[in-house]
Amino acid sequence: MMQSPAVAQQPPADPAAGPGLEWPPPPFRTPAPPRVGQDGVRGFGGVTYATTPGYRPRLLDVHVPPGDGPVPAVVWIHGGGWLEGDRRYPPPTVPVELLHGAVLRAGLALVSIDYRHSLEAPFPAQLHDVKAAIRYVRRFAEAFGIDKDRIGVWGESAGGHLAALAGLARPDSGDGGALEGAEGVRDEDSGVLAVVDWYGVSEIGSLLARPLPPSPPGTEYPNPFSALLGGSPEQHPELARAASPVTYAGPATPPPFLLIHGTRDGLVPYSQSEVLAEALERAGGDVTLQPVDGADHIFLGAPDVTPIVTESVAFLARHLGA
């Protein structure tokens, strides 16, 4: 049924407005008051940072350590081949308590985000969502108790790829300005001060023809690169370049990067982090590449992931001034 002129001409809804009928739906929601745990940690759960008609709302959780004054924040980006994953769960090799506890004990807030998967919307929708989440945190930093000028990103696998892009694809980084998107909050900066990238893809073109590990019997798993790019095979080289973090490593000086990658990663080769480290060095960046000897993807085979988490948190705390 066609919309009546009276409805069609209503002004855009105020995102901060209270409950009730709103048309068009607001592009984001104001965070509700936090729940405070016995340990003093303030938790904001299931906050809607972006809405787009036809898609599920994008949600984030915020955990803020006890204390006075605004604290730096880390935006955690989950993996899953851009096809699956959930903001609430790290990879199975990393216990939730270890990840959350290490971040909060360092005096950092943890912001865990969901984003659209590739079969919902191809690239750059995933990066648009990440940037929208960062802008949202800046808009409501005072409500969260976060210092809007001290935000970093940390991701694993597909999330590592998106974290690297969030650090490099900026308005002053050549073609990066086209990747800002218009989701959610639009009038804040999406830049970050530091990046931790665990075993993320950095140069997609070289992986397009690489065979993937076989799927378990009785299952069909889409090719993650084809699903992410969302174009025809003939378009893939161009799309792969646009979706590769190395494309944006310069001319602007990148933020500090910590790259951690298993040397026997059978899904994302260790050489992917080597290529990104070299590109960041050429751009004058501060980059540390830390191999995990003998480890496969998600650090399978590593004797203990605790030192890896500890090193990552220490890097972020140092560069964010925690």
Side-chain angles (χ1 to χ4, degrees):
M1 187 170 77
M2 293 185 62
Q3 223 175 24
S4 70
V7 173
Q9 294 175 11
Q10 287 183 353
D14 177 4
L21 179 63
E22 301 179 34
W23 188 264
F28 54 89
R29 296 284 184 178
T30 301
R35 294 185 176 182
V36 183
Q38 292 183 345
D39 55 2
V41 172
R42 284 168 287 144
F44 302 80
V47 181
T48 299
Y49 74 83
T51 63
T52 305
Y55 297 95
R56 60 190 167 97
R58 266 81 78 211
L59 306 180
L60 57 79
D61 299 335
V62 181
H63 305 275
V64 184
D68 297 327
V71 298
V74 177
V75 176
W76 167 262
I77 311 171
H78 70 76
W82 309 283
L83 286 160
E84 57 185 354
D86 187 311
R87 71 186 187 280
R88 298 169 294 177
Y89 308 117
T93 49
V94 181
V96 173
E97 297 79 8
L98 172 62
L99 179 72
H100 286 212
V103 171
L104 294 169
R105 283 193 300 272
L108 299 165
L110 180 65
V111 181
S112 305
I113 70 170
D114 283 333
Y115 53 87
R116 283 171 290 178
H117 296 155
S118 57
L119 294 185
E120 295 178 276
F123 185 85
Q126 297 71 33
L127 181 58
H128 287 174
D129 290 348
V130 170
K131 286 178 168 288
I134 295 168
R135 293 193 299 263
Y136 183 92
V137 171
R138 281 206 163 90
R139 166 66 70 85
F140 295 104
E142 184 175 356
F144 291 136
I146 285 173
D147 185 340
K148 66 185 296 182
D149 296 322
R150 293 189 290 165
I151 298 176
V153 287
W154 179 4
E156 60 95 15
S157 195
H161 162 262
L162 295 172
L165 281 170
L168 294 172
R170 299 174 294 176
D172 60 353
S173 59
D175 296 337
L179 297 178
E180 285 298 304
E183 305 292 326
V185 173
R186 301 181 184 180
D187 56 354
E188 294 283 355
D189 181 30
S190 67
V192 296
L193 293 186
V195 179
V196 175
D197 173 359
W198 282 0
Y199 45 84
V201 170
S202 62
E203 198 284 300
I204 294 177
S206 62
L207 300 177
L208 289 176
R210 186 174 183 270
L212 297 171
S215 299
T219 64
E220 288 189 19
Y221 199 82
N223 182 294
F225 301 110
S226 298
L228 176 70
L229 301 178
S232 67
E234 292 75 21
Q235 294 174 302
H236 280 176
E238 177 184 355
L239 295 170
R241 180 186 180 279
S244 295
V246 293
T247 300
Y248 310 99
T253 302
F257 267 71
L258 173 62
L259 309 174
I260 306 185
H261 207 133
T263 59
R264 297 181 64 84
D265 193 321
L267 191 60
V268 178
Y270 177 75
S271 59
Q272 285 284 306
S273 285
E274 291 181 309
V275 167
L276 182 54
E278 292 168 3
L280 292 168
E281 288 175 352
R282 287 195 301 269
D286 174 359
V287 55
T288 300
L289 173 57
Q290 178 63 53
V292 182
D293 291 335
D296 201 340
H297 205 61
I298 68 171
F299 302 135
L300 282 170
D304 185 5
V305 299
T306 301
I308 300 172
V309 173
T310 300
E311 181 179 0
S312 302
V313 172
F315 173 88
L316 290 162
R318 183 168 66 252
H319 288 287
L320 299 178

